[in-house]
Amino acid sequence: MHIAHRLLEAGWALKLGSREDQQREILGELELVEVRVLFFPEVMEFIQEGEKRHPKQDIELGPKRKDGKLAYVDYIVKLPERSLEEFCRWVYRFMGNAQFISPQNLAEQH
């Protein structure tokens, strides 16, 4: 049960991946993917409220506009490949106000 909790904490949502990848992830041998998404003014407050959406997330404040308000926040999280689909579904909720920056394949796809 402890292993499942570690996998859930490292990923996004419930998809745990293959047994082989689970083992590699537990041993620290599975490379994580850094995902960067810019969230724009209409959803920034909601994104910033979720300080604990993921234990390894980082939220960086973007530059200020001429009116003194932030132009965007940069949401950064490292996830196992198995979690990218579920993470993307979460971001889709905000697609009018979000932009994938990396990895490049997600930026091009969305």
Side-chain angles (χ1 to χ4, degrees):
M1 185 65 110
H2 178 68
I3 291 172
H5 286 283
R6 283 180 49 201
L7 291 167
L8 287 170
E9 189 174 283
W12 191 274
L14 299 176
K15 189 175 181 182
L16 296 179
S18 71
R19 288 183 79 89
E20 180 181 299
D21 283 349
Q22 289 176 17
Q23 285 295 337
R24 290 178 54 221
E25 188 173 333
I26 290 165
L27 295 171
E29 298 172 354
L30 189 69
E31 188 173 333
L32 300 179
V33 178
E34 183 177 275
V35 183
R36 296 179 78 106
V37 180
L38 302 184
F39 288 96
F40 299 103
E42 287 189 29
V43 297
M44 283 188 321
E45 187 174 327
F46 176 75
I47 299 302
Q48 288 177 285
E49 286 174 358
E51 291 179 10
K52 301 296 180 194
R53 289 188 204 291
H54 193 276
K56 296 182 181 174
Q57 76 180 24
D58 188 24
I59 298 175
E60 296 179 0
L61 304 180
K64 291 188 177 181
R65 304 181 304 198
K66 290 180 182 180
D67 64 5
K69 296 181 181 179
L70 291 175
Y72 60 82
V73 293
D74 191 355
Y75 186 91
I76 306 156
V77 64
K78 289 186 177 184
L79 297 170
E81 185 81 28
R82 66 180 166 84
S83 294
L84 295 181
E85 182 180 332
E86 290 175 299
F87 179 78
C88 288
R89 270 193 238 125
W90 177 73
V91 173
Y92 291 160
R93 296 174 42 200
F94 311 105
M95 275 318 283
N97 292 289
Q99 178 184 355
F100 280 93
I101 300 301
S102 66
Q104 186 169 347
N105 65 318
L106 291 182
E108 291 172 357
Q109 183 180 358
H110 305 288

